[in-house]
Amino acid sequence: MGQHDNGPAGPGPGPDVDVDVEVDVDPDPEEDAELASLALKILVAGGFGVGKTTLVGAVSEIRPLRTEELLSEAGELVDDTGGVDQKTTTTVAMDFGRITIRSGLALYLFGTPGQDRFWFLWDELSQGALGAVVLADTRRLEDCFPAVDYFEHRRIPFVVAVNCFTDARRYGAHDVSLALDLEQGTPVVLCDARDKDSGKEVLIRLVEYAGRVHTARLLDLVEPQADSV
């Protein structure tokens, strides 16, 4: 397996960007009363044009916040649009949505920007995250290497969700895991980012996996202390 590309760098100065933000209106009191008692923060990451905004929008039960701008001629010099030639907009800050998985449990979804020049935002967005979904496109699989490296390095649990585009060759989860050289046990799931039920299944897999990882880490901390008593 080839070495993964370098992941996003730490916080640093970023470009000045004017963003038109679509934001949901204030929820009414009845909706406030129904909000889940436990809210978990989830990141949705991946390469440029892989479907992050689509996934967040498909599963969100509120009007998603989007920070999209039209692609410009200047951006053509720095953004690789091969394989996504019909894409006309790009996320320049983040996407945000919310989904209730079950009574008492809601997920707050933060979609990360895909281009290199916006990676300085990742460290802020990842603070307090339970885990992450790394969206992958088998036509441009190498584009998700930076996200995989980022979460592995920071020990943030993640699942790889292969967005099955119509014109993309289909690969099994095991093949994708080998191609990405994932750590043993990292889940790989196939999905359609446009479909709410498919996206919800991805999120459920992530919550289950992240829960097992965090529980195992807590047990590792407790056992040495028990042995010393």
Coordinates of all heavy atoms in Angstrom, one line a residue, residues 39 42 108 133 163:
A39 N -27.0 14.9 22.9 CA -26.6 15.4 21.5 C -25.1 15.1 21.3 O -24.3 15.4 22.1 CB -26.8 16.9 21.3
I42 N -20.8 14.9 15.3 CA -20.3 14.0 14.2 C -19.7 14.9 13.1 O -20.4 15.8 12.7 CB -21.4 13.1 13.7 CG1 -22.0 12.2 14.8 CG2 -20.8 12.2 12.6 CD1 -21.0 11.3 15.4
Y108 N -25.5 16.0 15.9 CA -25.2 17.3 15.2 C -24.1 17.0 14.2 O -23.0 16.6 14.6 CB -24.8 18.4 16.2 CG -25.9 18.8 17.1 CD1 -25.7 19.0 18.5 CD2 -27.2 19.1 16.6 CE1 -26.8 19.4 19.3 CE2 -28.2 19.5 17.4 CZ -28.0 19.7 18.8 OH -29.1 20.1 19.6
V133 N -17.5 10.5 9.8 CA -17.8 9.7 8.6 C -16.8 10.3 7.5 O -16.8 11.5 7.2 CB -19.2 9.9 8.1 CG1 -19.4 9.3 6.7 CG2 -20.2 9.4 9.1
N163 N -19.6 6.4 -1.2 CA -20.7 6.9 -1.9 C -20.8 6.3 -3.3 O -19.9 6.5 -4.2 CB -20.6 8.4 -2.0 CG -21.9 9.1 -2.5 OD1 -22.9 8.5 -2.5 ND2 -21.8 10.4 -2.7

